[in-house]
């Protein structure tokens, strides 16, 4: 009797469809991330309908983001993050506040109520950690000045998802959310991050040492997966994102002498699940809704890129970087982030977004994400050109 395994069927469809797309984009020297998202649009429920239920695929996609942030954490260290605290707090804080304010102001001017306008500001302020960091890692630019700036801003944005989620009920007028409860939740989240960092630093090196002594590669890989997924799960219990927990786990293990071996072992898993993530993003886009609203969507994408680039470039300049670095970093941040999808779903259920506005948001977000690898590829040339016009040597 044959077994019916929908998740396995869908996963096979995704992998089979992704191979020729990845091959073609690679041969054409185009970003494979964009190819994966286009694949998702084609095979998803709103395209040819090869996959109709994206719920299970979204779970696999979230695992991909967790593994991506874990390996990125391995590339850093706690000392390096502390050294970047000015970029994270000052740069990230200014970028989020100014972007929320500017986007909300434009929405109010367009006739939207203040609460909905602020919520739209939240959606616009966040950028895609997964796409930006993967692109920088593939290009070896995480240590470049623009890479460090962008990563610092992205880290702050990921932390902002917690207060933004807490503010959604207030913006929607839901009862039962008091300033005290919000302050308590935020305080608990901060204490949770500190406790997790100290706990993992105290326990993980000891456990890792004994795991390595077993000289069993399978156990070593299983332990690494448990650490990354387990820490992600713990942070999620405190209302933080899974990706943040995985990043913390990677940071702690980055100080181990076995960090390079961990990266080598986890890399294949990360790449497979990450492909699923980018394809699953494409599956969310309704082709029919996009066709009906494409002039609005493309106009919003252009406005989004211009707004976020100007704001982020201004913030980076305030931090003392050159015009070229500011423009390159800003162009890398000029898209909607994956955490905005989570916020948007909550906003839809709370009445802050209508069904039509939600589809327009999805179209704008996904098109901006597809365009990001191309924009980032052109960013150095654009940065040099802008500097030559504004601040020539």
């Amino acid at each position: 009797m044959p077994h019916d395994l929908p998740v396995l069927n869908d996963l096979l469809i995704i992998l089979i469809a992704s191979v020729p797309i990845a091959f073609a984009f690679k041969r054409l020297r185009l970003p494979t991330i964009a190819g994966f998202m286009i694949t998702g649009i084609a095979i998803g429920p709103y395209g040819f309908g090869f996959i109709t239920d994206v719920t299970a695929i979204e779970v696999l996609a979230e695992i991909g983001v967790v593994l991506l942030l874990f390996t990125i954490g391995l590339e850093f260290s706690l000392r390096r993050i502390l050294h970047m605290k000015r970029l994270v707090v000052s740069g990230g804080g200014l970028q989020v506040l100014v972007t929320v304010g500017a986007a909300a102001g434009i929405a109010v001017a367009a006739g939207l109520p203040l609460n909905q306008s602020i919520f739209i500001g939240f959606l616009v302020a966040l950028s895609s950690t997964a796409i930006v960091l993967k692109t920088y890692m593939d290009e070896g630019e995480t240590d470049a000045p623009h890479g460090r700036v962008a990563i610092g801003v992205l880290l702050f944005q990921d932390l902002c998802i917690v207060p933004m989620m807490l503010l959604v009920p207030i913006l929607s007028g839901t009862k039962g959310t008091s300033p005290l409860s919000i302050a308590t939740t935020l305080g608990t989240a901060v204490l949770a991050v500190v406790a997790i960092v100290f706990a993992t630093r105290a326990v993980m090196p000891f456990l890792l040492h004994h795991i390595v002594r077993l000289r069993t590669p399978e156990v070593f890989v299983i332990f690494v997966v448990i650490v990354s997924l387990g820490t992600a799960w713990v942070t999620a219990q405190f209302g933080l994102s899974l990706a943040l927990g995985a990043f913390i786990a990677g940071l702690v293990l980055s100080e181990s002498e076995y960090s390079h071996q961990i990266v080598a072992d986890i890399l294949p898993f990360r790449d497979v699940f990450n492909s699923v993530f980018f394809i699953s993003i494409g599956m969310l886009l309704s082709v029919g809704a996009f066709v009906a609203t494409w002039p609005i969507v493309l106009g919003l994408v252009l406005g989004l890129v211009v707004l976020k680039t100007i704001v982020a470039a201004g913030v980076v300049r305030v931090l003392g970087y050159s015009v070229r670095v500011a423009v390159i970093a800003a162009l890398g941040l000029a898209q909607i982030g994956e955490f905005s999808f989570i916020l948007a779903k909550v906003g839809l259920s709370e009445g802050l977004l209508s069904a039509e506005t939600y589809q327009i948001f999805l179209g704008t977000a996904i098109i901006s994400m597809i365009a990001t690898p191309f924009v980032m590829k052109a960013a150095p040339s654009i940065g040099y050109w802008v500097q030559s016009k504004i601040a020539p040597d």
Side-chain angles (χ1 to χ4, degrees):
M1 181 178 176
H3 294 284
D4 185 21
L5 298 172
V7 178
L8 180 59
N9 294 340
D10 292 347
L11 187 58
L12 282 174
I13 291 171
I14 286 174
L15 296 178
I16 291 170
S18 65
V19 169
I21 293 293
F23 177 78
F25 271 64
K26 200 72 175 176
R27 289 297 297 269
L28 294 171
R29 296 183 178 179
L30 297 174
T32 54
I33 292 174
F36 287 142
M37 284 188 277
I38 293 170
T39 302
I41 296 171
I43 68 176
Y46 303 109
F48 293 108
F50 293 121
I51 295 176
T52 56
D53 182 12
V54 299
T55 304
I57 301 304
E58 286 176 347
V59 174
L60 297 176
E62 193 151 16
I63 295 174
V65 177
V66 167
L67 293 177
L68 173 65
L69 268 293
F70 177 67
T71 52
I72 290 168
L74 288 168
E75 299 287 333
F76 286 83
S77 67
L78 289 172
R79 290 175 184 169
R80 186 175 172 188
I81 292 297
L82 290 174
H83 183 69
M84 292 171 58
K85 61 181 180 293
R86 180 168 173 264
L87 291 176
V88 175
V89 178
S90 301
L94 277 174
Q95 185 273 334
V96 169
L97 287 174
V98 177
T99 305
V100 169
I106 293 171
V108 168
L112 292 177
L114 181 60
N115 61 334
Q116 292 182 15
S117 299
I118 294 173
F119 181 71
I120 288 172
F122 288 172
L123 299 179
V124 171
L126 302 177
S127 304
S128 176
T129 303
I131 294 178
V132 176
L133 292 188
K134 179 166 175 39
T135 303
Y136 280 147
M137 288 182 71
D138 290 345
E139 299 297 326
E141 295 180 348
T142 53
D143 279 327
H146 57 274
R148 289 198 301 271
V149 171
I151 290 169
V153 172
L154 288 167
L155 289 176
F156 187 87
Q157 289 180 3
D158 288 349
L159 292 171
C160 283
I161 189 66
V162 178
M164 286 179 179
M165 290 286 283
L166 292 172
L167 287 170
V168 168
I170 294 177
L171 293 174
S172 65
T174 302
K175 303 296 183 182
T177 304
S178 66
L180 179 60
S181 66
I182 293 175
T184 302
T185 305
L186 286 175
T188 303
V190 172
L191 290 175
V193 170
V194 175
I196 290 167
V197 169
F198 279 103
T200 49
R201 288 195 76 183
V203 175
M204 291 309 167
F206 173 79
L207 293 177
L208 186 60
H209 175 71
H210 287 280
I211 291 292
V212 170
R213 288 183 62 185
L214 293 175
R215 299 184 183 277
T216 308
E218 295 85 355
V219 176
F220 182 79
V221 173
I222 291 172
F223 174 76
V224 170
V225 173
I226 289 173
V227 169
S228 59
L229 297 183
T231 310
W233 179 84
V234 171
T235 55
Q237 304 312 300
F238 290 96
L240 298 163
S241 70
L242 291 168
L244 179 62
F247 182 77
I248 292 172
L251 280 179
V252 172
L253 291 181
S254 70
E255 299 178 354
S256 164
E257 58 185 301
Y258 310 107
S259 60
H260 295 294
Q261 183 61 44
I262 294 172
V263 172
D265 288 338
I266 209 73
L267 210 56
F269 298 99
R270 185 205 70 180
D271 290 341
V272 170
F273 281 109
N274 251 278
S275 302
V276 175
F277 165 72
F278 293 119
I279 291 172
S280 71
I281 291 293
M283 289 182 190
L284 297 173
L285 180 64
S286 170
V287 177
F290 175 73
V291 170
T293 60
W294 70 266
I296 298 173
V297 169
L298 293 184
L300 288 174
V301 170
L302 180 60
L304 171 80
V305 171
V306 171
L307 173 66
K308 295 195 73 172
T309 300
I310 291 174
V311 171
V315 168
V316 178
R317 283 290 288 155
V318 168
L319 295 175
Y321 288 86
S322 68
V323 172
R324 179 182 64 83
V325 171
V327 171
I328 296 173
L331 286 169
L333 297 169
Q335 77 288 123
I336 299 293
E338 51 274 354
F339 292 134
S340 293
F341 290 97
I342 300 171
L343 265 180
K345 285 182 180 179
V346 177
L348 180 65
S349 64
E350 293 280 349
L352 288 170
L353 292 178
S354 65
E356 182 183 359
T357 306
Y358 179 68
Q359 279 300 326
I360 291 174
F361 161 75
L362 287 180
T364 304
I366 292 170
I367 298 302
S368 75
M369 293 172 86
I370 291 175
T372 295
F374 299 99
V375 173
M376 292 180 70
K377 195 171 184 179
S381 299
I382 297 172
Y384 279 113
W385 181 83
V386 173
Q387 176 151 318
S388 69
K389 297 297 181 182
I390 295 179
D393 293 332

